[in-house]
Amino acid sequence: MESDSDNVSAPAFGSLTRSHGDSDDATYVDVEVVLRHARDVKDVETLGKQDPYCVLRIGANEQRSKVHVDGGRNPVWNQDFLFTHVPRTEQLSIKLLDSNVVTADEMIGEAEIQLADLIVDEDFQQAASDLQVVRVVPVKRHGRHHGDLHISISMGPSQEESDEQVADTTGVPASVIIPVAALVAIVLVYTSSWKSILAICCCIWLYFVPVPRAGGPKSWQSDRGPVGD
């Protein structure tokens, strides 16, 4: 069994800081979940021990864990899951089921976490970011508490969104490249002065050097908080 079952810490939050001048909130996030184990969940098996597994869902993205054969009321998985580019307004839903061969799989219970609850402030400057911290989530069946699910969560701004923003702000449009190229060609045709050519090359180089400006690509940096004992 997991060694952290007897030493579970409260959820810790590390800070996610962004560069000065950014004002837009992160709409999409990447979420990494470590499904560790469950404790004292409902036993729905009539004969023998139940074989629990989990179905994790964020929005339309659904992933399934492995089955812990004969896991009973205290199954262990220790399995990682990654959900990319999901709205931060979604929730993480985890259903626990008993795997059956002959009959349909039976629901053991379910747990839910709102992603927004992992955000400390509206500017998304702080969120859960430490996979070493175990978070205890109550498992419910028919509205009643039946055991707990032990998981870890790391969440940050979507990498896909960051890549798109960088591409949008660093690309040079053709409407700029074509006139500049034409000007260089004209100068090369009508002058043989190497000084003129050097001066034009320097001007072109200075023109295309990226200059930091407000509203440019977001730069996020993770600064995780201390790991819970």
Side-chain angles (χ1 to χ4, degrees):
M1 293 298 178
E2 275 283 283
S3 59
D4 57 10
S5 60
D6 297 326
N7 186 21
V8 177
S9 57
F13 298 91
S15 63
L16 291 172
T17 59
R18 46 186 183 176
S19 61
H20 180 72
D22 293 333
S23 58
D24 295 333
D25 295 340
T27 305
Y28 294 90
V29 293
D30 293 340
V31 182
E32 184 176 359
V33 180
V34 180
L35 180 64
R36 298 185 180 278
H37 57 268
R39 287 291 178 267
D40 301 324
V41 295
K42 178 74 173 179
D43 188 354
V44 298
E45 188 67 56
T46 304
L47 298 175
K49 287 188 175 182
Q50 61 188 4
D51 307 318
Y53 69 93
C54 289
V55 176
L56 296 82
R57 174 189 286 270
I58 299 181
N61 191 336
E62 183 175 283
Q63 302 183 45
R64 173 174 168 164
S65 76
K66 59 189 177 183
V67 176
H68 184 177
V69 178
D70 292 335
R73 300 185 62 197
N74 302 292
V76 178
W77 298 283
N78 288 326
Q79 194 170 353
D80 295 350
F81 301 88
L82 179 61
F83 298 86
T84 60
H85 203 63
V86 297
R88 69 173 189 170
T89 55
E90 290 285 355
Q91 70 177 12
L92 169 63
S93 173
I94 305 177
K95 293 183 178 181
L96 286 77
L97 299 101
D98 175 30
S99 178
N100 294 315
V101 177
V102 180
T103 61
D105 295 350
E106 186 171 354
M107 176 73 73
I108 297 174
E110 55 187 331
E112 295 179 349
I113 298 178
Q114 298 291 336
L115 298 184
D117 292 343
L118 303 178
I119 302 172
V120 175
D121 57 23
E122 290 300 324
D123 289 334
F124 199 70
Q125 292 182 354
Q126 291 185 320
S129 60
D130 200 334
L131 291 178
Q132 300 302 316
V133 176
V134 179
R135 185 180 182 91
V136 180
V137 185
V139 176
K140 294 185 178 181
R141 174 182 167 87
H142 303 312
R144 299 183 61 182
H145 183 197
H146 288 280
D148 299 295
L149 193 62
H150 295 231
I151 65 175
S152 297
I153 300 179
S154 175
M155 186 173 72
S158 175
Q159 186 60 44
E160 292 183 22
E161 188 175 63
S162 299
D163 292 342
E164 290 174 359
Q165 291 169 344
V166 171
D168 290 342
T169 55
T170 57
V172 180
S175 59
V176 174
I177 295 178
I178 294 176
V180 173
L183 177 61
V184 173
I186 292 173
V187 172
L188 291 177
V189 170
Y190 289 99
T191 182
S192 58
S193 172
W194 66 270
K195 292 182 179 181
S196 299
I197 298 175
L198 180 60
I200 292 176
C201 291
C202 289
C203 291
I204 295 174
W205 180 80
L206 290 174
Y207 181 83
F208 287 111
V209 169
V211 179
R213 59 187 184 276
K218 294 184 179 180
S219 175
W220 296 79
Q221 183 177 358
S222 176
D223 182 17
R224 294 183 177 180
V227 175
D229 296 328

